[in-house]
Amino acid sequence: NAGVTQTPKFRILKIGQSMTLQCTQDMNHNYMYWYRQDPGMGLKLIYYSVGAGITDKGEVPNGYNVSRSTTEDFPLRLELAAPSQTSVYFCASSYRGLASDEQFFGPGTRLTVL
Amino acid sequence: KQEVTQIPAALSVPEGENLVLNCSFTDSAIYNLQWFRQDPGKGLTSLLLIQSSQREQTSGRLNASLDKSSGRSTLYIAASQPGDSATYLCAGWNSGNTPLVFGKGTRLSVIA
């Protein structure tokens, strides 16, 4: 199993550009999550999904959108990139609910908005 | 709002030493707790999960415990090795439907 994979690994965007961060898991997990990690800070939850077709906001959802059309994929969309979105983005998954099970993380996408 | 504090923020020890990393929650009603390791420029690797019915978990040289009455957790690393050098993060849930709340981590350096 590859686990949780993310693409791209690095990206530089100009202010106002848009992009999609890709996340795929091959563990047949129901729950998937997007976090951002700013330097010296803990991870913050952006969005999560409890299954295909169902998503919900986390702590810091503004400026982002998600969709979940399949169990495996959970892309994160940035529509109008802003410097405040410069961060490292992590996708994670778990088999059961938010507090019920171990979360597994992808390697991250390092995004810089200039 | 739940907040997580990890002490110390950074730690440097000689190889072979036993060490303890600390994690505390402002709201002691912790449901589950997970410890992670993060290497520079890498993702998070799950180390130990303490579920609601448990008080501690062990994996090899690692032992994590959770005192729910005080909202404190410790990660004990025995006989530290240079390969243990990384940032260690703790994260907890207050209930079944709340997001995982992370600490800022402890950066550990084990010197050969």
Side-chain angles (χ1 to χ4, degrees), chain A residues 35 37 40-43 45 59 90 96 98-103 105-107 110, chain B residues 1 31-32 34 36 38 43-44 46 49 51 93 95-99 102-104:
Chain A
Y35 294 91
Q37 185 180 35
M41 304 296 289
L43 278 75
L45 182 65
E59 186 179 357
F90 290 102
R96 292 176 295 179
L98 287 164
S100 300
D101 215 352
E102 190 176 7
Q103 291 192 15
F105 281 73
R110 187 174 299 273
Chain B
K1 179 184 175 184
Y31 190 77
N32 286 356
Q34 194 168 355
F36 296 89
Q38 185 175 27
L44 280 68
S46 178
L49 171 69
Q51 295 185 312
W93 291 272
S95 69
N97 292 317
T98 58
F102 283 82
K104 296 179 181 180

Side-chain angles (χ1 to χ4, degrees), chain A residues 7-42:
Chain A
T7 57
K9 291 185 178 180
F10 303 94
R11 184 72 184 267
I12 298 174
L13 284 182
K14 294 182 179 179
I15 295 172
Q17 286 185 322
S18 62
M19 76 164 294
T20 299
L21 283 67
Q22 301 291 344
C23 175
T24 300
Q25 54 90 10
D26 63 358
M27 297 175 283
N28 201 32
H29 283 172
N30 296 313
Y31 286 73
M32 296 187 73
Y33 316 85
W34 275 106
Y35 294 91
R36 60 177 287 172
Q37 185 180 35
D38 299 321
M41 304 296 289

Side-chain angles (χ1 to χ4, degrees), chain B residues 47-48 57-64 76:
Chain B
L47 296 173
L48 293 164
Q57 280 285 341
T58 298
S59 176
R61 295 182 293 107
L62 305 179
N63 174 274
Y76 176 81

